[in-house]
Amino acid sequence: MSERPDRRPTPPAKRPGRLRPSGPGTTPPAGGGQEPAAAVPPNHRSVIDSAVYRDGLRVASPATLADTFRQLREQPDGMAWIGLHRPTESELHSLAGEFNLHELAVEDALEAHQRPKLERYGDTLFVVLRAARYLDAPEEVEFGELHVFVGPDFLITVRHGGAPDLSSVRRRMEENPALLSLGPEAALYAILDAVVDGYAPVVAGVQTDIDEIETEVFRGDPAVSRRIYELSREMVEFQRATRPLVGMLHGLMAGFAKYGTDEELQRYLRDVADHVTHTSERVDGFRQALTEILTVNATLVSQQQNAEMRALAEAGFEQNEEIKKISSWAAILFAPTLVGTIYGMNFEDMPELKWAGGYPFAILLMAVVCVSLYVIFKKRDWL
């Protein structure tokens, strides 16, 4: 079988200036201006599964990309489905050369960290999806990234991260040859369905977290503010993953007539679009609920602080009243002590020493001073 003439272009040249993030194990550039290669762990296998299908049935399972290209050329009505996980730059450029992938899409697939989007380059569709899964133990949402190239007779998936598990999607499609025989679009819609179905456990887990947070807020848990903040950040990421999907799926549905999409696939995609819309609305509701919970929590914390300040003020007032009483009695007792001290000095020249009324006068003076101080403090409510 001769080679297909429409898919042997020269591999696209790299555009300068777009550097990929480096990390541990990244090969440094050999000289200025060269882009660093992506870090790949030792013994990492990029090709997870590669198969050639005909009439919905797997007819070949090549071990390498080169074998896949050769097997596909030998199947005039075949379709290749290649699954990759963090592929190397050379592998992606090999695919780009074989299937005429656009250089911008290839660079996006290499760099990752892309927003969900749908782009068409000639007869090739490029889709970026953000998958999510809920981790029960840490109560966190983990996000993965999936890039999908869809052409007339091929489908290439480039996965970054743990989610989604595309092996189950492939098995389900292989168990339904009639659906898989509809071509790469059928596999794309199955992948979209798997990504969207993966949002359901996340929605359920987040709903449980919000219910627990509401309980913690009214229980006065001091650590709840941090939990609200962390979950709010996850909902921002979740919203960025789900909201663009609504427009993407409507864009695919708008092209049903133009590209002659099969009726079964149209129904399939409408169902996926309904689920995405529902999920997006739930996520929007979660963000609003978390905002309201954060407001309520701030109000409760403020009320608690006000109550504590009021209690401190009352305690200070009571303490001040006690100090007043102690000070008043100290002043009253100090007056006779002062008089007694003066008359107890026993100097020879004191005028009252030989006076017969000196003692009664001193006692009377003490009593008058004490009573006067008592009346004064009593009027001022110190006693």
Side-chain angles (χ1 to χ4, degrees):
M1 183 69 65
S2 60
E3 295 182 355
R4 302 186 183 187
D6 59 336
R7 78 152 80 105
R8 305 306 296 175
T10 303
K14 287 188 182 302
R15 296 194 312 166
R18 296 186 65 181
L19 298 180
R20 301 179 183 84
S22 60
T26 302
T27 304
Q34 296 295 326
E35 296 185 11
V40 179
N43 303 323
H44 174 70
R45 186 172 182 270
S46 301
V47 182
I48 303 302
D49 195 357
S50 180
V52 176
Y53 299 88
R54 184 174 182 179
D55 297 329
L57 299 174
R58 183 189 285 240
V59 296
S61 301
T64 64
L65 292 179
D67 291 339
T68 304
F69 302 155
R70 178 178 54 79
Q71 294 280 354
L72 182 60
R73 297 190 201 109
E74 295 175 356
Q75 298 292 334
D77 298 322
M79 177 193 81
W81 184 345
I82 302 172
L84 304 174
H85 181 223
R86 290 184 298 169
T88 63
E89 188 173 348
S90 61
E91 288 172 330
L92 269 184
H93 280 289
S94 173
L95 290 166
E98 177 69 21
F99 297 112
N100 194 22
L101 306 180
H102 197 277
E103 61 174 319
L104 295 179
V106 173
E107 287 187 1
D108 287 345
L110 278 171
E111 293 180 3
H113 304 294
Q114 304 294 319
R115 62 176 179 82
K117 60 183 178 180
L118 171 68
E119 295 178 348
R120 185 175 291 276
Y121 299 98
D123 58 357
T124 301
L125 202 63
F126 178 61
V127 181
V128 178
L129 302 172
R130 294 292 303 278
R133 63 179 178 180
Y134 185 79
L135 305 179
D136 291 322
E139 294 183 343
E140 295 176 353
V141 181
E142 181 185 71
F143 296 92
E145 188 168 331
L146 178 65
H147 298 218
V148 185
F149 296 89
V150 185
D153 58 353
F154 66 89
L155 182 137
I156 303 169
T157 60
V158 180
R159 184 161 53 92
H160 297 273
D165 180 14
L166 296 182
S167 59
S168 59
V169 178
R170 189 188 290 263
R171 284 195 302 269
R172 188 167 66 252
M173 292 297 290
E174 289 178 350
E175 291 171 359
N176 190 353
L179 182 60
L180 186 56
S181 65
L182 296 178
E185 282 188 345
L188 171 63
Y189 295 168
I191 292 172
L192 288 169
D193 185 46
V195 171
V196 173
D197 284 347
Y199 294 153
V202 178
V203 170
V206 171
Q207 182 64 68
T208 302
D209 287 347
I210 291 178
D211 293 340
E212 293 176 355
I213 285 174
E214 289 177 341
T215 303
E216 293 173 359
V217 164
F218 290 102
R219 196 170 56 197
D221 190 335
V224 70
S225 297
R226 180 180 181 86
R227 189 176 181 187
I228 295 173
Y229 173 73
E230 291 176 348
L231 189 58
S232 297
R233 291 188 60 184
E234 290 178 351
M235 288 305 96
V236 171
E237 290 296 320
F238 201 9
Q239 196 173 50
R240 290 174 180 171
T242 57
R243 181 174 289 179
L245 272 180
V246 178
M248 290 166 55
L249 293 175
H250 282 88
L252 285 174
M253 290 188 293
F256 282 164
K258 180 178 179 180
Y259 296 100
T261 305
D262 184 84
E263 287 290 336
E264 180 66 19
L265 293 183
Q266 293 184 26
R267 288 190 291 269
Y268 205 73
L269 191 61
R270 288 192 188 99
D271 180 66
V272 176
D274 290 341
H275 290 165
V276 168
T277 302
H278 175 70
T279 301
S280 181
E281 291 173 351
R282 291 291 302 276
V283 175
D284 291 342
F286 288 156
R287 285 202 63 187
Q288 183 177 358
L290 287 169
T291 301
E292 294 173 353
I293 291 173
L294 190 60
T295 302
V296 171
N297 182 64
T299 303
L300 293 176
V301 170
S302 178
Q303 291 177 350
Q304 183 180 0
Q305 290 176 344
N306 290 338
E308 292 174 354
M309 292 297 294
R310 191 182 306 113
L312 288 174
E314 291 175 355
F317 177 77
E318 293 176 358
Q319 186 178 15
N320 190 39
E321 291 299 314
E322 294 296 327
I323 292 174
K324 286 180 180 179
K325 292 180 181 179
I326 295 172
S327 301
S328 300
W329 285 112
I332 292 172
L333 295 175
F334 176 73
T337 302
L338 178 63
V339 175
T341 301
I342 293 174
Y343 283 95
M345 289 189 294
N346 298 322
F347 290 117
E348 287 290 338
D349 296 331
M350 289 184 66
E352 293 87 358
L353 287 178
K354 299 186 181 296
W355 179 38
Y359 177 72
F361 175 76
I363 296 299
L364 179 62
L365 180 60
M366 293 179 188
V368 170
V369 173
C370 290
V371 171
S372 300
L373 290 174
Y374 180 83
V375 171
I376 293 172
F377 291 143
K378 193 69 175 177
K379 286 183 177 180
R380 295 185 178 182
D381 292 330
W382 281 33
L383 292 175

